[in-house]
Amino acid sequence: MKKIMDEKDYGIVAALHKGAKTPFRKISKRVHMSESAVRKRVKRLEHLGVIERYTIIVNPSKLGYDTMAVVGLDVSPEKHEEVIEKLANLEEVKKLSTSTGKFMIMSTVWAHDNKELTDIILRKIGGIEGVKKTHPSIILERRIKDVC
Amino acid sequence: MKKIMDEKDYGIVAALHKGAKTPFRKISKRVHMSESAVRKRVKRLEHLGVIERYTIIVNPSKLGYDTMAVVGLDVSPEKHEEVIEKLANLEEVKKLSTSTGKFMIMSTVWAHDNKELTDIILRKIGGIEGVKKTHPSIILERRIKDVC
Amino acid sequence: MKKIMDEKDYGIVAALHKGAKTPFRKISKRVHMSESAVRKRVKRLEHLGVIERYTIIVNPSKLGYDTMAVVGLDVSPEKHEEVIEKLANLEEVKKLSTSTGKFMIMSTVWAHDNKELTDIILRKIGGIEGVKKTHPSIILERRIKDVC
Amino acid sequence: MKKIMDEKDYGIVAALHKGAKTPFRKISKRVHMSESAVRKRVKRLEHLGVIERYTIIVNPSKLGYDTMAVVGLDVSPEKHEEVIEKLANLEEVKKLSTSTGKFMIMSTVWAHDNKELTDIILRKIGGIEGVKKTHPSIILERRIKDVC
Amino acid sequence: MKKIMDEKDYGIVAALHKGAKTPFRKISKRVHMSESAVRKRVKRLEHLGVIERYTIIVNPSKLGYDTMAVVGLDVSPEKHEEVIEKLANLEEVKKLSTSTGKFMIMSTVWAHDNKELTDIILRKIGGIEGVKKTHPSIILERRIKDVC
Amino acid sequence: MKKIMDEKDYGIVAALHKGAKTPFRKISKRVHMSESAVRKRVKRLEHLGVIERYTIIVNPSKLGYDTMAVVGLDVSPEKHEEVIEKLANLEEVKKLSTSTGKFMIMSTVWAHDNKELTDIILRKIGGIEGVKKTHPSIILERRIKDVC
Amino acid sequence: MKKIMDEKDYGIVAALHKGAKTPFRKISKRVHMSESAVRKRVKRLEHLGVIERYTIIVNPSKLGYDTMAVVGLDVSPEKHEEVIEKLANLEEVKKLSTSTGKFMIMSTVWAHDNKELTDIILRKIGGIEGVKKTHPSIILERRIKDVC
Amino acid sequence: MKKIMDEKDYGIVAALHKGAKTPFRKISKRVHMSESAVRKRVKRLEHLGVIERYTIIVNPSKLGYDTMAVVGLDVSPEKHEEVIEKLANLEEVKKLSTSTGKFMIMSTVWAHDNKELTDIILRKIGGIEGVKKTHPSIILERRIKDVC
């Protein structure tokens, strides 16, 4: 893969990751470029797909979600894709990945409380055809770090 | 916990999560409020900490990170906090959580390739005092969904 | 959740947990209140559901139960509730919980001897539709502590 | 072991387990004996140690304990007894057992929230010398049944 | 259980376990009894079922069995008994037990070589209806000790 | 390995395994040989080490051993041999093997009751230097089959 | 098994394993034999099947295979052979073995990238009837050593 | 990575992998090129490192190795590299890899018999400083397939 980014691009991405509303003027100082050059590069990074989306980080507990769990799933291999699609349609499933290891599907579930979590795991996830086993772990504390 | 948000707040959060640059004018139509009312509510949501940060979602492989792994860690219980702090200081560790289950620490690591991943796991993470075992899984595919 | 109990309530609950027949007169001295005030508070704690039931702790081996086991169950997710109901109807199952981890159902079984335990696990529990695997552990020693 | 109890004794124990305050008059009808005979038998059951203690069942969440966990412990075999003693002295540990299987010590912990649970597991339990690994599972729902 | 054996009985059992052909004369000296008293006690121990059978310990590798394996079996709980009966009828299965833990059935298999072992596990044992998983371990060295 | 036994030898071994006191006269009929030929062959089988020892099968529960457990041991690799020797010297350990799989040492322990078993595992076995983890399973039912 | 090879044979095999194109002249010096004697012995080793095939060791990443995984398979025991045959027919499966332990089938898969690996595991391998679970591990670094 | 090989190169590699002594004349027909063009390309493939080495596949059991095992190793993370180096120096270890999953080091060991295997695992591998646990699996049957 040929390098599509130079050091200045990394600096811009890091700045926007830390704060997507950081004024270009401030970023331009950090990377020693003109404001308009920063603007052009951001456009290019968006165009290249390096920047996929502008978003917000929300505090789950302030939204009323007091229980977050990572649920490993044992799925009949031939149903893997169908299960992934159905999980993606569940509003309570916030993240999904296929990975190596004991559970090839890992999903992140947000629930208002343990009762709701149980219901989501057993009825909503467990009710999907092809799901053979659900293995939940509760997230006790989490920390998201800066990219780059 | 008394409810701090009503339906309109949820609508605003959902809209910003999908696109943090969505113009207030567009959001105001979706939630049937005036633009200035939306602006006020966003300020309040920021103030309350519901919105923690504006950020960007980057495409790791476009940044040159071709290998992403979730690394479960077995740590001497009395060293747990120290290890968490040291992991948080490793640039390559992008996410960290304490959870119930077999591995109480789960970390997400981004590496440029398998060689670098091996090095991060064995030397950088494995070299932290108190880390007894590292159990990596490679993320083969991932999907992040919208909040709310 | 707003606090429904003060320090004196905790003192009363602790005293009754240690001995449900402790005379109110004795409790009243410990919490520095009049006997009638204690009586009123106990009524309120019963009414609020803090005190769910008065009961006795029995010695299983004196009742002839020489083997106690915790049995983890692997259950088809869509049958979870039915299995829980059927387990609850088995006289030999003394406690039941749904939990996170490898086995989402944990049950406590009392048996007169190993032979009966085998029979309960294989025929009574194993015979319930939806139970895929039973994983028994024998309790070698146990200790119940005081609440509060 | 020679039988120390007959059918009537079992009936009395069952009645008291269901409600330790059940009037002897009511029990006497159920087991077809005089009230004074019931009283004598209860005394005998207490004396024999069949009835170990009169107690109350409390509702943990009403006491403010919103998180209950079963924590399996991996302990250096030669420290097993010391660890058991230290765990027994921790107020937050409500039950303790030694059992066969992967984790020879299983403890039940009550915490006000996930943050406190993390602290109890990592600092209080994890800090005991000889504890090599803690493996927590969160109890999502539980049900206690009647004895006999 | 009342004690059915005294110290002299234990001495006799130990002697016979070490060598079932040990002359009574020699045993009588060890336990300080007359030869005829030993003979009577042996009869009684046989009658009581303490001594179940006289047998020989053979050297499996001298019989041509170069591979011994312990095979843990995961079995549909409702088929447990049928599977046990069918295993008992397999000539290659030399020992069988039901136990607590991950695999409720443990079987000891003798095979002439790895090829035959694979065949026994996959075709003979794996072919029994209700057997869901076979988990073999090879015995590398074994040592049988004396009883009492 | 050249074959040291023919069909008749196998017949003799099988007969003696089933009953070590089976009269040679009876065996001679089964294998179609003269009594003296059987006698010669038995001598040869003893000499070759095919028959290692004459012994008795005892009923553990009739000897007062009500609890039998298989204990898997996790041992520091460099202490493996020392631990094996020390286990072999423990009277309560009746069988010992080194095998492939999770626990390289498997031991069979006989105890009079659960209390004694706990003591043997934690103090006697767990106290041996180099033993890092003990993983007991209780044998609920066992069946020993005939050899050949 | 009688020895079919002497020291010189081992020397020849070792030399050819290190380099199958090593001139016989060079080998003849190393094993102190004439070139024609070496030639004769090589023919014999081929004939005996000690040397099964002359081959090349390729560098997978230079062939475009950037991801190598070992995939453990859980297979319905009665389908074991069919599954093995079908796996052997998959071009992407480069090695296959039946072994003791948790997964009786271990397969080595080469893929151009993680996306293709996921596809091979889920669709090609997971789609084989009888495959119940796939457990992939990514090979991060490997080293092949010389034989003899 | 830009493609360094075309279809003809793959054909040549496949042919040599199947038989490193296949005459160029035969290969030239298969890939529709002149013999000298094949010769040139083989040189180039050697030069590029696509072909790493010419070697022979030997039959381990014909060399007297009757037991092959894959041994998973649990190693103190900070000793990982030292252990890898020491394993690489053990003659009995024929392959080595670092991988994701439960055991980060997997080694393939050839032994003449189970006794020697036990010795290699416990003394040679287990004796390396930093090795905390060895988990051997016996290879019952294996099959190596063609590359490309």
Side-chain angles (χ1 to χ4, degrees):
Chain A
M1 157 103 51
K2 66 179 166 311
K3 284 295 214 87
I4 56 176
M5 291 176 64
D6 62 16
E7 276 311 297
K8 290 191 190 295
D9 289 321
Y10 279 105
I12 292 167
V13 166
L16 292 175
H17 195 268
K18 218 168 206 153
K21 297 203 151 177
T22 316
F24 284 173
R25 187 180 28 83
K26 230 167 139 181
I27 298 177
S28 80
K29 277 177 197 161
R30 215 175 305 156
V31 298
H32 306 292
M33 296 179 81
S34 73
E35 229 182 297
S36 69
V38 168
R39 191 175 319 269
K40 249 189 235 158
R41 281 180 177 248
V42 168
K43 279 274 163 294
R44 182 175 161 268
L45 292 167
E46 290 171 3
H47 180 74
L48 285 169
V50 173
I51 296 172
E52 290 189 338
R53 194 165 92 185
Y54 291 84
T55 190
I56 53 175
I57 294 176
V58 296
N59 182 324
S61 82
K62 297 245 164 126
L63 284 174
Y65 295 107
D66 279 336
T67 301
M68 298 175 70
V70 172
V71 185
L73 297 180
D74 222 348
V75 169
S76 303
E78 80 280 8
K79 293 272 169 65
H80 185 273
E81 256 154 305
E82 270 174 68
V83 171
I84 284 279
E85 279 321 304
K86 283 177 183 157
L87 287 169
N89 287 331
L90 289 181
E91 197 195 347
E92 294 89 347
V93 173
K94 300 301 183 194
K95 241 185 307 179
L96 259 177
S97 60
T98 300
S99 65
T100 65
K102 200 173 172 188
F103 296 105
M104 286 196 64
I105 298 180
M106 299 300 288
S107 61
T108 303
V109 173
W110 289 13
H112 291 87
D113 51 34
N114 283 347
K115 204 178 151 51
E116 195 190 60
L117 177 66
T118 311
D119 196 66
I120 295 167
I121 292 171
L122 293 175
R123 239 168 304 200
K124 299 211 173 166
I125 296 180
I128 296 174
E129 208 196 318
V131 172
K132 293 193 297 186
K133 193 176 162 72
T134 54
H135 185 117
S137 305
I138 302 293
I139 297 171
L140 300 171
E141 285 183 345
R142 88 199 163 102
R143 200 188 276 220
I144 295 171
K145 292 196 31 206
D146 291 315
V147 126
C148 294
Chain B
M1 158 103 51
K2 66 182 166 314
K3 284 294 213 87
I4 58 176
M5 291 175 64
D6 62 17
E7 275 312 295
K8 290 192 191 294
D9 288 320
Y10 279 105
I12 292 168
V13 166
L16 291 175
H17 195 269
K18 217 168 206 152
K21 296 204 150 176
T22 316
F24 283 174
R25 188 181 26 84
K26 231 169 141 181
I27 298 176
S28 79
K29 277 179 197 159
R30 215 176 305 157
V31 298
H32 306 291
M33 295 179 82
S34 73
E35 227 181 298
S36 68
V38 168
R39 191 175 317 268
K40 247 189 236 159
R41 280 181 177 246
V42 169
K43 280 275 164 293
R44 184 175 159 267
L45 291 167
E46 290 170 4
H47 180 74
L48 285 169
V50 173
I51 296 171
E52 289 190 340
R53 193 166 93 186
Y54 291 84
T55 190
I56 52 176
I57 294 176
V58 296
N59 182 325
S61 83
K62 298 245 164 125
L63 285 175
Y65 295 108
D66 280 336
T67 300
M68 298 174 70
V70 172
V71 185
L73 297 181
D74 223 348
V75 169
S76 303
E78 80 280 8
K79 292 272 169 65
H80 185 273
E81 257 154 303
E82 269 174 70
V83 172
I84 284 279
E85 279 322 304
K86 283 176 184 161
L87 288 169
N89 286 332
L90 288 182
E91 196 194 348
E92 295 88 348
V93 173
K94 300 301 183 194
K95 242 185 306 179
L96 259 178
S97 61
T98 300
S99 64
T100 65
K102 200 174 172 186
F103 296 105
M104 286 195 66
I105 297 180
M106 299 301 287
S107 60
T108 303
V109 173
W110 290 13
H112 291 88
D113 51 33
N114 283 346
K115 204 177 149 52
E116 194 189 61
L117 177 66
T118 311
D119 196 66
I120 295 166
I121 293 171
L122 294 175
R123 240 170 301 201
K124 298 211 175 168
I125 297 181
I128 297 174
E129 209 197 315
V131 172
K132 293 192 298 185
K133 194 178 162 71
T134 55
H135 185 117
S137 306
I138 302 292
I139 296 172
L140 299 171
E141 285 182 346
R142 87 202 164 101
R143 200 187 277 220
I144 295 170
K145 292 192 37 204
D146 292 314
V147 128
C148 295
Chain C
M1 156 105 51
K2 65 182 168 310
K3 284 296 213 85
I4 56 176
M5 291 174 65
D6 62 15
E7 276 311 297
K8 291 191 189 295
D9 289 320
Y10 280 105
I12 292 167
V13 167
L16 291 176
H17 195 268
K18 216 166 208 155
K21 297 204 150 176
T22 316
F24 284 173
R25 188 180 26 83
K26 231 169 139 179
I27 297 176
S28 79
K29 275 178 198 160
R30 216 176 303 158
V31 297
H32 306 292
M33 296 179 80
S34 74
E35 229 181 296
S36 69
V38 168
R39 190 176 318 269
K40 250 190 234 159
R41 282 182 174 246
V42 169
K43 278 274 164 294
R44 183 177 160 266
L45 291 168
E46 291 171 2
H47 180 74
L48 284 168
V50 173
I51 296 172
E52 289 190 337
R53 194 165 91 187
Y54 291 84
T55 190
I56 53 176
I57 295 176
V58 295
N59 183 324
S61 82
K62 298 244 164 126
L63 284 174
Y65 294 108
D66 279 336
T67 300
M68 296 175 72
V70 173
V71 185
L73 297 180
D74 222 348
V75 169
S76 303
E78 81 279 8
K79 293 272 170 63
H80 186 274
E81 256 154 304
E82 269 174 71
V83 172
I84 284 279
E85 279 321 304
K86 282 176 184 159
L87 287 169
N89 287 331
L90 288 182
E91 196 194 349
E92 295 89 347
V93 173
K94 298 302 182 194
K95 242 186 305 180
L96 260 176
S97 61
T98 300
S99 64
T100 66
K102 200 173 174 188
F103 296 105
M104 286 195 64
I105 299 180
M106 299 301 288
S107 61
T108 303
V109 174
W110 289 14
H112 291 87
D113 51 34
N114 284 346
K115 202 176 152 52
E116 194 190 60
L117 177 66
T118 311
D119 196 66
I120 295 166
I121 293 172
L122 294 176
R123 239 169 303 204
K124 299 211 174 168
I125 297 180
I128 297 174
E129 208 196 316
V131 172
K132 293 193 298 186
K133 194 177 161 71
T134 54
H135 185 118
S137 305
I138 302 291
I139 297 172
L140 299 170
E141 285 183 345
R142 88 200 163 101
R143 200 188 275 220
I144 295 170
K145 294 197 28 210
D146 291 314
V147 128
C148 295
Chain D
M1 156 105 53
K2 68 181 166 315
K3 284 294 213 87
I4 56 174
M5 291 175 63
D6 62 17
E7 275 313 295
K8 290 190 191 296
D9 288 320
Y10 279 105
I12 292 167
V13 167
L16 291 175
H17 195 269
K18 216 166 207 153
K21 296 205 150 175
T22 315
F24 284 173
R25 189 180 26 82
K26 231 168 139 182
I27 299 175
S28 81
K29 275 178 196 159
R30 213 175 306 157
V31 298
H32 306 292
M33 295 178 81
S34 73
E35 230 182 293
S36 68
V38 168
R39 191 175 318 270
K40 248 189 236 160
R41 280 181 177 249
V42 169
K43 279 274 162 296
R44 185 177 158 267
L45 292 167
E46 291 170 4
H47 180 73
L48 285 169
V50 173
I51 296 172
E52 288 189 340
R53 195 166 91 187
Y54 292 83
T55 189
I56 53 176
I57 294 177
V58 295
N59 183 325
S61 82
K62 299 244 163 128
L63 284 175
Y65 294 109
D66 279 336
T67 301
M68 298 174 71
V70 173
V71 185
L73 297 181
D74 223 347
V75 169
S76 303
E78 81 279 9
K79 293 273 169 63
H80 185 274
E81 256 154 305
E82 269 174 70
V83 171
I84 284 279
E85 279 321 305
K86 282 176 184 159
L87 287 169
N89 287 331
L90 288 182
E91 197 194 347
E92 294 89 348
V93 173
K94 299 302 183 193
K95 242 185 305 179
L96 259 177
S97 61
T98 300
S99 65
T100 65
K102 199 173 173 189
F103 297 105
M104 286 196 65
I105 299 180
M106 300 300 288
S107 60
T108 303
V109 173
W110 290 13
H112 291 87
D113 51 33
N114 284 346
K115 204 176 150 53
E116 194 189 61
L117 177 66
T118 312
D119 197 65
I120 295 166
I121 293 172
L122 294 175
R123 238 168 304 203
K124 299 211 175 168
I125 296 181
I128 296 174
E129 208 197 316
V131 172
K132 294 192 297 186
K133 195 178 161 69
T134 54
H135 185 117
S137 306
I138 302 292
I139 297 172
L140 299 171
E141 285 182 346
R142 86 200 165 101
R143 200 187 275 220
I144 295 170
K145 293 194 34 206
D146 291 313
V147 128
C148 295
Chain E
M1 157 105 50
K2 64 182 170 309
K3 284 294 215 87
I4 57 177
M5 291 175 62
D6 61 15
E7 275 313 296
K8 289 190 191 297
D9 288 319
Y10 279 105
I12 292 167
V13 166
L16 291 175
H17 195 269
K18 216 166 209 156
K21 296 203 149 177
T22 316
F24 285 174
R25 189 183 24 84
K26 231 168 138 180
I27 297 175
S28 79
K29 277 179 195 157
R30 215 175 307 157
V31 299
H32 306 292
M33 296 179 80
S34 74
E35 226 181 297
S36 68
V38 168
R39 189 175 320 270
K40 250 190 234 158
R41 279 180 176 248
V42 169
K43 279 273 162 298
R44 184 177 159 268
L45 290 168
E46 291 170 3
H47 180 75
L48 285 169
V50 173
I51 296 172
E52 289 190 340
R53 193 166 93 185
Y54 292 84
T55 189
I56 54 176
I57 294 175
V58 295
N59 182 324
S61 81
K62 298 245 164 128
L63 284 174
Y65 294 107
D66 278 336
T67 301
M68 298 174 71
V70 172
V71 185
L73 298 180
D74 222 348
V75 169
S76 302
E78 80 279 8
K79 293 273 169 62
H80 186 273
E81 256 154 305
E82 269 173 69
V83 171
I84 283 279
E85 278 322 304
K86 283 176 184 159
L87 287 170
N89 287 331
L90 289 182
E91 197 194 347
E92 295 88 347
V93 173
K94 299 303 183 194
K95 241 185 306 180
L96 260 177
S97 61
T98 300
S99 65
T100 65
K102 198 172 174 189
F103 297 105
M104 287 197 63
I105 298 181
M106 300 301 287
S107 61
T108 303
V109 173
W110 290 12
H112 292 86
D113 51 33
N114 283 347
K115 204 176 150 50
E116 194 189 62
L117 177 66
T118 311
D119 197 67
I120 295 166
I121 292 172
L122 294 176
R123 238 168 305 203
K124 298 211 175 168
I125 296 180
I128 297 174
E129 208 197 316
V131 172
K132 293 193 296 186
K133 193 177 162 72
T134 54
H135 184 118
S137 306
I138 302 293
I139 298 172
L140 299 171
E141 285 182 346
R142 88 203 161 99
R143 200 188 276 220
I144 296 171
K145 292 192 36 202
D146 292 314
V147 128
C148 295
Chain F
M1 156 105 53
K2 66 181 169 305
K3 285 294 216 86
I4 57 176
M5 291 176 63
D6 61 16
E7 275 312 296
K8 290 190 191 296
D9 289 320
Y10 279 105
I12 292 167
V13 166
L16 291 176
H17 194 268
K18 215 167 208 154
K21 297 203 150 176
T22 317
F24 284 172
R25 188 180 28 82
K26 231 168 139 180
I27 298 176
S28 80
K29 277 177 196 161
R30 215 175 304 157
V31 298
H32 306 291
M33 295 178 83
S34 73
E35 229 182 295
S36 69
V38 169
R39 190 175 320 270
K40 252 191 231 156
R41 280 179 176 249
V42 169
K43 278 275 162 296
R44 185 178 158 266
L45 292 167
E46 291 171 3
H47 180 74
L48 286 169
V50 173
I51 296 171
E52 288 189 340
R53 194 165 92 186
Y54 292 84
T55 189
I56 53 175
I57 294 176
V58 295
N59 183 323
S61 80
K62 298 241 165 130
L63 284 174
Y65 294 108
D66 278 336
T67 301
M68 297 175 71
V70 172
V71 185
L73 297 181
D74 223 347
V75 169
S76 303
E78 81 279 7
K79 292 274 169 63
H80 185 273
E81 256 153 305
E82 268 174 71
V83 171
I84 284 280
E85 279 322 304
K86 282 176 184 160
L87 287 169
N89 287 331
L90 288 182
E91 197 194 347
E92 294 89 347
V93 173
K94 299 302 183 194
K95 241 185 306 180
L96 257 177
S97 60
T98 300
S99 64
T100 65
K102 200 174 173 188
F103 296 105
M104 286 197 65
I105 299 180
M106 299 300 289
S107 61
T108 304
V109 173
W110 290 13
H112 291 86
D113 51 33
N114 284 346
K115 203 177 151 50
E116 194 189 61
L117 177 67
T118 311
D119 196 66
I120 295 166
I121 293 172
L122 293 176
R123 238 167 305 201
K124 298 210 175 169
I125 296 181
I128 296 174
E129 208 197 315
V131 172
K132 294 193 296 187
K133 194 178 161 71
T134 54
H135 184 118
S137 306
I138 302 292
I139 297 172
L140 299 171
E141 285 183 346
R142 86 199 165 102
R143 200 188 278 219
I144 294 170
K145 293 195 31 205
D146 291 315
V147 126
C148 297
Chain G
M1 156 104 52
K2 65 178 167 313
K3 283 294 213 87
I4 57 176
M5 291 175 65
D6 62 16
E7 275 312 297
K8 289 190 192 294
D9 289 319
Y10 280 105
I12 293 168
V13 166
L16 292 175
H17 195 269
K18 217 165 207 157
K21 297 203 150 177
T22 316
F24 284 174
R25 187 180 27 83
K26 232 169 138 180
I27 299 177
S28 79
K29 277 177 197 160
R30 213 173 309 155
V31 299
H32 307 291
M33 296 179 81
S34 72
E35 228 182 295
S36 68
V38 168
R39 192 175 317 270
K40 249 189 235 158
R41 279 180 177 248
V42 168
K43 279 273 163 296
R44 183 177 159 267
L45 290 167
E46 291 170 3
H47 180 74
L48 285 169
V50 173
I51 296 171
E52 289 189 339
R53 194 166 93 186
Y54 292 83
T55 191
I56 53 175
I57 294 176
V58 296
N59 183 324
S61 82
K62 298 243 165 129
L63 284 174
Y65 294 107
D66 279 336
T67 301
M68 298 175 70
V70 173
V71 185
L73 298 180
D74 222 348
V75 169
S76 303
E78 80 280 8
K79 293 271 169 63
H80 186 273
E81 256 154 305
E82 270 174 70
V83 171
I84 283 279
E85 279 321 305
K86 282 175 184 160
L87 287 170
N89 287 332
L90 289 182
E91 198 195 345
E92 295 88 348
V93 173
K94 300 302 182 194
K95 241 185 305 180
L96 259 177
S97 61
T98 301
S99 64
T100 65
K102 198 172 173 189
F103 296 105
M104 286 197 64
I105 298 180
M106 298 302 287
S107 60
T108 303
V109 174
W110 289 13
H112 291 87
D113 51 32
N114 284 347
K115 204 178 149 53
E116 194 189 61
L117 177 66
T118 311
D119 197 66
I120 296 166
I121 293 171
L122 293 176
R123 239 169 304 203
K124 298 212 174 165
I125 297 180
I128 297 174
E129 207 197 316
V131 172
K132 292 192 297 185
K133 194 178 163 69
T134 54
H135 184 116
S137 306
I138 303 291
I139 297 172
L140 299 171
E141 286 182 345
R142 88 202 162 101
R143 202 187 274 220
I144 295 170
K145 294 196 30 208
D146 291 313
V147 127
C148 293
Chain H
M1 158 106 51
K2 66 181 169 307
K3 282 294 214 86
I4 57 176
M5 292 175 65
D6 62 15
E7 275 313 295
K8 289 191 192 296
D9 288 320
Y10 280 105
I12 292 167
V13 166
L16 291 176
H17 195 269
K18 216 167 207 153
K21 297 203 151 177
T22 316
F24 284 173
R25 188 181 27 82
K26 232 169 138 180
I27 298 176
S28 78
K29 277 178 196 157
R30 215 174 305 157
V31 298
H32 307 292
M33 295 179 82
S34 73
E35 229 182 297
S36 68
V38 167
R39 193 176 317 270
K40 249 189 236 160
R41 280 181 176 248
V42 168
K43 279 275 164 294
R44 185 177 158 266
L45 291 167
E46 291 171 3
H47 180 75
L48 285 169
V50 174
I51 297 172
E52 289 189 340
R53 194 165 92 186
Y54 292 83
T55 190
I56 53 175
I57 294 177
V58 296
N59 182 324
S61 82
K62 297 244 164 127
L63 285 174
Y65 294 108
D66 279 337
T67 300
M68 297 175 70
V70 173
V71 185
L73 297 181
D74 222 348
V75 169
S76 304
E78 80 280 7
K79 292 274 169 63
H80 186 273
E81 256 154 304
E82 269 174 70
V83 171
I84 284 279
E85 280 322 302
K86 283 175 185 160
L87 288 169
N89 287 331
L90 288 182
E91 197 194 348
E92 294 89 347
V93 173
K94 299 301 183 195
K95 242 185 305 180
L96 259 177
S97 61
T98 301
S99 64
T100 65
K102 199 173 174 187
F103 296 105
M104 286 196 64
I105 298 180
M106 299 300 288
S107 60
T108 303
V109 173
W110 289 14
H112 291 87
D113 52 32
N114 283 346
K115 202 177 152 52
E116 195 191 60
L117 178 66
T118 311
D119 196 65
I120 295 166
I121 292 171
L122 294 175
R123 240 169 302 201
K124 298 210 175 169
I125 296 180
I128 297 173
E129 208 196 316
V131 172
K132 293 193 297 186
K133 194 177 161 71
T134 55
H135 184 118
S137 305
I138 302 293
I139 297 172
L140 299 171
E141 284 182 348
R142 87 199 164 103
R143 200 187 277 218
I144 295 170
K145 292 194 34 205
D146 291 315
V147 127
C148 296

